[in-house]
């Protein structure tokens, strides 16, 4: 069986604009699943540059599942970008140094949003910005040039600035079966055998039951 090696940087050596992200990250606070790729003609190996304001002492993580497709221009804005908002001013005096450095806000004063979590089989279009603490669930599609400010439901399509719900990709019953199938957790031989069933074959309840039972 000849399949892309999930432990290689470039799944296709002839297409250097695509990298498997998990093999180019160095930060312990970024976790990425197998076969998730970033596509960018301009140094896709520098994926971490698209994860900004990400400081280990804040404790937040960027967690991305398996088999996600992420287009160029992605920006993950993490919790370090948030300013204290309870007082009269949001200005971050302490980071400018001098005597101001003594006025460090407590962690409890910061509007921390928690981990940013991207599910499995998520497709993120070009020039998307994802704000801190957002959860994008399995099978979702994010339209190009969107700013995602709140959680995205499984198998839904969102777009715009701020991103708004457009539609579900499938019926409620089909989505429940897709979640039960969780095809990304199958072994790679099963996935390879069923690529056409997973991609070009029209989704319906009967077909999903067959896949679940196969």
């Amino acid at each position: 069986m000849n399949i892309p090696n999930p432990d290689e940087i470039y799944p296709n050596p002839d297409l250097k604009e695509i990298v498997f992200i998990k093999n180019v990250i160095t930060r312990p606070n970024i976790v990425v699943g197998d076969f998730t790729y970033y596509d960018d003609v301009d140094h896709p190996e520098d994926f971490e540059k698209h994860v900004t304001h990400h400081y280990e002492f804040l404790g937040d993580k960027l967690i991305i599942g398996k088999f996600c497709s992420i287009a160029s221009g992605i920006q993950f804005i993490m919790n370090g970008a948030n300013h204290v908002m309870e007082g009269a001013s949001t200005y971050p005096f302490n980071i400018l140094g001098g005597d101001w450095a003594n006025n460090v806000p407590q962690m409890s004063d910061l509007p921390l949003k928690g981990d940013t979590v991207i599910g499995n089989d998520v497709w993120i279009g070009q020039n998307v910005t994802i704000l801190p603490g957002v959860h994008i669930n399995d099978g979702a599609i994010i339209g190009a040039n969107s700013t995602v400010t709140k959680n995205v439901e499984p198998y839904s399509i969102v777009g715009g600035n701020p991103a708004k719900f457009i539609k579900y990709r499938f019926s409620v019953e089909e989505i429940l079966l897709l979640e039960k199938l969780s095809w990304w957790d199958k072994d790679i031989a099963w996935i390879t055998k069923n690529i056409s069933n997973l991609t070009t074959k029209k989704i319906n309840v009967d077909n999903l039951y067959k896949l679940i039972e196969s």
Side-chain angles (χ1 to χ4, degrees):
M1 185 168 57
N2 183 18
I3 63 168
N5 184 347
D7 297 320
E8 295 285 346
I9 292 177
Y10 306 104
N12 183 345
D14 297 323
L15 193 61
K16 293 295 180 72
E17 68 184 60
I18 293 179
V19 298
F20 280 152
I21 298 172
K22 77 163 193 173
N23 303 315
V24 298
I25 58 174
T26 61
R27 300 182 202 168
N29 48 359
I30 301 177
V31 180
V32 183
D34 286 347
F35 299 102
T36 285
Y37 72 80
Y38 177 55
D39 182 356
D40 194 335
V41 295
D42 186 19
H43 303 296
E45 306 87 354
D46 294 336
F47 173 82
E48 285 180 323
K49 290 183 178 179
H50 300 272
V51 184
T52 65
H53 305 88
H54 200 192
Y55 310 122
E56 287 189 38
F57 69 88
L58 290 178
D60 61 332
K61 293 183 178 182
L62 170 61
I63 302 170
I64 306 176
K66 303 174 185 177
F67 292 96
C68 293
S69 308
I70 303 178
S72 62
I74 184 70
Q75 291 292 325
F76 291 97
I77 301 177
M78 304 300 288
N79 282 283
N82 287 327
H83 294 201
V84 174
M85 297 186 293
E86 296 300 317
S89 175
T90 61
Y91 194 80
F93 290 94
N94 63 292
I95 68 171
L96 278 301
D99 290 341
W100 292 356
N102 298 322
N103 295 277
V104 179
Q106 299 297 310
M107 291 287 284
S108 58
D109 295 327
L110 297 171
L112 302 178
K113 305 293 185 180
D115 295 337
T116 298
V117 181
I118 313 300
N120 303 283
D121 192 23
V122 172
W123 175 20
I124 301 175
Q126 290 185 345
N127 303 317
V128 167
T129 299
I130 298 173
L131 296 191
V134 165
H135 288 210
I136 299 176
N137 285 285
D138 297 333
I141 297 175
I142 313 300
N145 304 306
S146 297
T147 299
V148 186
T149 62
K150 59 184 180 180
N151 295 348
V152 178
E153 295 182 77
Y155 292 95
S156 65
I157 301 173
V158 304
N161 184 5
K164 295 181 179 179
F165 174 82
I166 297 172
K167 67 176 183 178
Y168 291 109
R169 296 176 57 195
F170 309 109
S171 71
V172 172
E173 185 177 7
E174 289 164 348
I175 290 172
L176 290 173
L177 289 170
L178 283 162
E179 291 179 320
K180 181 177 180 180
L181 175 63
S182 296
W183 66 264
W184 43 84
D185 289 331
K186 301 285 190 181
D187 65 67
I188 200 63
W190 185 97
I191 292 172
T192 301
K193 178 183 176 181
N194 285 283
I195 285 175
S196 62
N197 290 324
L198 294 169
T199 55
T200 59
K201 193 168 187 177
K202 184 174 175 58
I203 285 291
N204 62 49
V205 170
D206 289 340
N207 289 338
L208 287 171
Y209 274 118
K210 288 177 184 177
L211 279 173
I212 290 169
E213 293 168 0
S214 65

